Amino acid sequence: MIQAKIDNADYIYIEKLKAKNERQLKVMLDTLEKEAIKIKIEQTKLENKLKDKIKKSHFVKDILMERWRQPSQELLEAIQEIQNGGGTVCTSMEEFDKQMAED
């Protein structure tokens, strides 16, 4: 159905073109070619902009992945405290709760 409407609109356009003289048709052709060039330039700009955004998103992802691979400062301090003999080992959640209540 949609294709039939498109075909009908094309047929009507072609019939209107048949009524034009050669000079008018040449002007129309030049105009259409200029518009096509402008659209291609705009398309190239958009493609370049898209590539740039994709590249930048990869940079952001790389930095995030790098940060996620490195332990936080708080974790490093906790590890250092355990290595220095600090901290306590709890065997159950209840024991942990008691220990936390005491601190």
Side-chain angles (χ1 to χ4, degrees):
M1 175 116 174
I2 294 173
Q3 187 61 42
K5 288 183 179 181
I6 293 171
D7 290 343
N8 189 38
D10 288 346
Y11 178 75
I12 292 170
Y13 182 71
I14 290 169
E15 289 302 315
K16 287 181 181 178
L17 290 176
K18 288 180 180 178
K20 307 257 182 207
N21 64 37
E22 186 176 336
R23 184 174 182 199
Q24 291 172 317
L25 292 171
K26 285 183 179 180
V27 169
M28 288 177 72
L29 181 61
D30 288 344
T31 302
L32 290 170
E33 287 174 347
K34 288 176 185 177
E35 288 175 0
I37 290 170
K38 287 179 184 179
I39 291 171
K40 285 180 182 180
I41 290 170
E42 187 175 329
Q43 179 183 15
T44 302
K45 286 179 182 178
L46 288 173
E47 287 171 351
N48 290 338
K49 189 174 183 178
L50 176 62
K51 287 177 186 177
D52 185 56
K53 297 298 180 187
I54 291 171
K55 181 175 72 171
K56 287 180 179 180
S57 73
H58 286 298
F59 293 157
V60 171
K61 288 176 185 176
D62 287 345
I63 296 298
L64 277 174
M65 293 300 292
E66 185 178 315
R67 288 192 181 169
W68 290 341
R69 284 187 202 109
Q70 297 174 354
S72 68
Q73 188 61 35
E74 184 177 311
L75 178 60
L76 291 173
E77 290 172 5
I79 292 170
Q80 187 66 34
E81 182 180 331
I82 297 296
Q83 287 175 344
N84 292 337
T88 55
V89 177
C90 300
T91 57
S92 69
M93 216 35 214
E94 291 81 22
E95 189 178 336
F96 173 76
D97 289 337
K98 286 181 187 177
Q99 195 70 21
M100 292 304 292
E102 291 174 9
D103 290 340

